[in-house]
């Protein structure tokens, strides 16, 4: 069983990476931003911001524990 702190760190890295690469690739291909976080504190190139990384983390943790977690709806014995 993976330690909860490690799970949280990995989920945060994964979701923020998806957001960054999606935003950066779309911007590179079309020249248009899907979103613009440049006015937010602690943003990187206006593509990711700490506030939204925290939101994605919380949503992902809820999804993780709902679908895969210890007593999740779809745990299938996987932990």
């Amino acid at each position: 069983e993976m330690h909860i702190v490690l799970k949280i760190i990995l989920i945060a890295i994964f979701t923020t990476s998806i957001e960054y690469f999606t935003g950066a690739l779309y911007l590179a291909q079309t020249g248009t931003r899907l979103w613009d976080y440049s006015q937010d504190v602690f943003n990187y190139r206006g593509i990711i911001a700490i506030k939204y990384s925290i939101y994605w983390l919380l949503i992902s943790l809820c999804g993780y524990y709902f679908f895969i977690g210890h007593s999740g709806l779809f745990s299938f014995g996987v932990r």
Side-chain angles (χ1 to χ4, degrees):
E1 180 77 19
M2 189 183 307
H3 193 275
I4 186 68
V5 173
L6 181 57
K7 253 182 228 183
I8 290 170
I9 291 168
L10 290 175
I11 289 171
I13 291 169
F14 181 73
T15 56
T16 301
S17 297
I18 289 173
E19 183 178 23
Y20 176 77
F21 287 115
T22 301
L25 286 172
Y26 193 84
L27 180 60
Q29 292 295 316
T30 66
T32 304
R33 291 180 177 273
L34 290 171
W35 53 83
D36 186 2
Y37 300 147
S38 59
Q39 299 301 313
D40 288 13
V41 179
F42 303 116
N43 78 82
Y44 180 70
R45 295 181 52 203
I47 298 172
I48 56 174
I50 191 72
K51 176 172 71 173
Y52 294 98
S53 293
I54 292 168
Y55 292 161
W56 281 118
L57 172 63
L58 294 174
I59 291 167
S60 298
L61 284 173
C62 290
Y64 176 84
Y65 281 102
F66 179 75
F67 290 107
I68 301 171
H70 300 292
S71 61
L73 184 60
F74 300 106
S75 64
F76 301 113
V78 177
R79 291 187 183 262

